[in-house]
Amino acid sequence: MDNYFVSSCKRVKDWICRQFGQKEKKTVHHKKFANGGEVIVWETGRAGEEAASYENLFLRKEIAGFRTNIRREQSCSIKSLTRDYLYKQLLSSGEYTFDHMLVIKDPYGEAPLTALALFILEEPARVRVTTKGNLEVTDFVTELPKKKEHRVPILGMYAEKANDIVIEILDDEGNCVKSHTFTIRTKRLPKSLRNVITVKKWTDKPAYSNIMINGGVKIHTCVFDIEGKIRYYLSRKPRGYGIFPLSDGHFFYMEKYISVPSYSNPQTVESYDMDYFGRVFRTYLTEKGVHHTAEEKAGGNILTGSNSMLEHTEDCVIEIDRQTGEIVWQLNMAEIFDETYQNMMDWCHVNSAAYYEKDRTILISLRNVHAVICVDYDTKKLRWILSDPKFWEGTKMTPYLLQPEGDVKWCYQQHAAFEIALPDESNPQKKRIIVYDNHWAKRRKAKSFDKDPLSYVSFYDIDEEKKTVSLHKRFAGPKTRIRANGIYVPDKKRVYNMAGSYAEPVDGDGGGIFEYDYETGEVLSEFGVKPGFFRAYPFEPNVQELAEPMQVTGDYQVGQIKQPQEISSSKYCKLKSEKKHHIKSAAIEYEMQEDLLFVNNVDHEVEKVYFIGDKGGYQVDFDDTYQTMDVFRTMVYKVAMQLTNLPKDKYKIYLQVKGELQTTKKYIDNITDFQAKTLIIRS
C-alpha cells in the first residue's frame, strides 16, 4: 500500500453528505424465497454509503499534500475501487449464503438496470442466472464457473418493472439442484430513453439479440432487444462519440464535461477504461484531447484520435499505453499529406483508426478529404489512399491513389473504415474493407460528387500489389450526414447498417438500424431510433469478468495534462501588486479530484490560471487556441490541470478572463514538496 495514504474521517463524512445527502433513501429490502430463506436487496445509495469508509485505502499520495477551500469530489476510479472492496469484504464475511443472499442494485452507481448477487456455497458449484424477458428469446442467461464464493452479475432488467430473477445451482452435468426466484424492482427510464426505439421489422433469429446504441447529444448509451425494449443503460452520458468496446469486455469512455479549448470542438482530456457495471479500472489523462474513435491494438494499447493544436484539430492518431497512459506512437496527417486541402481548421477530420498486426498497418478514415488511408505502422509512410481520383487531380498525392477496377462507387464523408477477413486469405496482398459511406459532401465540396440520394455500407476489395480497388458489395440505406458505422457478421452472413444521423427525419426518427442478408441484400430487421446516435454495436459484455473483483495493477490515474509552469520574477511581482477584480462569470466554478483542479467555464473564457504563492508564481495557459466555429462558442465545460509539480507553498488562485485579472478567493496550501518525490504520474 505504499502509493496510498489515510484520509481523515471528516473528509469521508463530508463526501458522504455531498454524494448521498437528500438525493436517495438508503433502503434495504428483505424478501422471502418461496422455498425458504430470504434475499436482502440494497439500493445503490446504501452501497455507496458503506463503501465510502474504505476511501482511505485507495487515495493516491498526491492528494495528501493539498489543503484547500475548493470543493473536493470523489474520482470515478475511487468510487469503483471502494465499492468493489466493500463487496469483497461482504462476501468474505461468510454472512451471505444461497439461502440468505445479498443483492445490490446498480452496484457501482453507473448502470441502473444491473445488479450484483453475493453468496457463498457449502461446496463449489456452477451457477446460472436468468433475467426473464417478455419472450423466451429475450431472456438474459449466464452461467458462471464452479467455485464457492460467487459474485453473480445480473443484467438485462427492464425499467420501471418488478423483474423476475432466477439463480440456480448446477451440478457437473449442468442440471439444476437448487434454485431461488425473486424480483428486483427498477426505476423509470430517463427522459432521453423513453419510447426512443421503434420496431419496424424483425426476425426471431437476428445476428444480434441485443444492440447497444451510443453517442450523439440527446441519448444515453443504452441496449435494446428485438422487441425494442431497453435492457441496459449508463446513467451518465459520455462525450457525443459514445463509448468504444474493447476486447476484454471493457470499453473506452470519454468524459463529456472535461475538455481542453480547441480551434473548434473542445476535446475531452479525461477518459476511462471501464466495464459494463461502470467500474473504472484506469483514468487516462491526455493533454491535447481524444475524439471520435478508440480501437484496441494488439497487446491492449488504444488507438484514438487526437489533435496537433498547430492551427488544426482532429488531425492526429495516437496510441495510448493501456497501463501507463503514455503516448507511445502518434501521427499528424500533415506529415504524410501535401498542403492542397490543409486550408481549413478541421481539414482532414480523423474519425476512425484501426491497427492490423499481420502486416503492421493502420487503417484511418479521414472524413473531410473523403479518403480511407493505409499507413505503415513502423515507418509512418503512406501505403495507399482509397478515394475518388478526380478529387486529388493535380496534387502530390496521386501516386498513392488506388486505381479503380470496374465500376467503383466512391465514398464521400465516410466513417468507420475497418478491414475484414477474406474467405480466401492465401494472397496477403489482397484486403477487403468495410466502410460506412454517408455519401455526403457538405463539409468538403467535391466536383465529382454524384449527389446520390442514399447512403451505403460498402465493401471494397484492394489489391496492394497492383494498387487497385474494386467495389465488392454495398447495401443502401437512408441518407445520413455524419456518424454511423457498418458491421459484417461472417458466421451469420449478415450486415448491419448503423445509420446514426439521418439527413432528414424518417417517420420521426433521427437514425435507424438495418440488418441485411449478406447474399441477397434483403432487410431482415429494422429499428428506428428517435434521437439518432453516433455508432452502434452488439452488446457483448464479458459476464465472467464482471463476476470477478477488480484487478488494478499500477496507478489508476495515468497520463498527463497541462501543469503549472513557473513565471518570471518580474511577472510574479507584477501579479502580486496588480489590482484584481472579482469574478463576474456565473459559469465559473471549482472542483478538485485528488491532484486535479477543474475550473468550469464557457468555451475560451478562462485564458490563464495563476497560482501566486509566498515564494513564487506559476500559471497554466489555456490561451493557445481560438474558436473558429460559432456552434461551439457557448459550450460550458471544465478545463483541467494537474498540480503535482507545484512546490511546497501556499497559493492564491487568480484567473485571467478576457484579458482581466480576477480574484477567485480560492487557495491551495501545498504542504508537500512533490518535486522531491518520485511521482506516480507519467510524463
Side-chain angles (χ1 to χ4, degrees), residues 101-156:
M101 191 184 304
L102 177 63
V103 172
I104 301 102
K105 295 164 62 175
D106 189 7
Y108 296 89
E110 300 287 356
L113 300 183
T114 68
L116 180 67
L118 304 176
F119 55 84
I120 294 179
L121 302 176
E122 292 182 1
E123 298 293 335
R126 294 159 56 192
V127 165
R128 179 167 59 220
V129 57
T130 303
T131 303
K132 302 299 290 184
N134 293 335
L135 307 172
E136 186 176 350
V137 72
T138 60
D139 287 351
F140 269 71
V141 183
T142 301
E143 288 193 14
L144 299 173
K146 187 175 182 179
K147 61 169 77 175
K148 287 184 68 174
E149 294 187 354
H150 282 278
R151 301 163 56 122
V152 180
I154 298 170
L155 304 177

Side-chain angles (χ1 to χ4, degrees), residues 641-660:
M641 57 218 84
Q642 200 170 14
L643 305 184
T644 44
N645 69 334
L646 279 176
K648 188 175 181 180
D649 204 349
K650 187 171 182 177
Y651 300 92
K652 293 181 179 178
I653 300 175
Y654 304 108
L655 306 181
Q656 180 178 306
V657 179
K658 298 179 180 179
E660 183 181 78

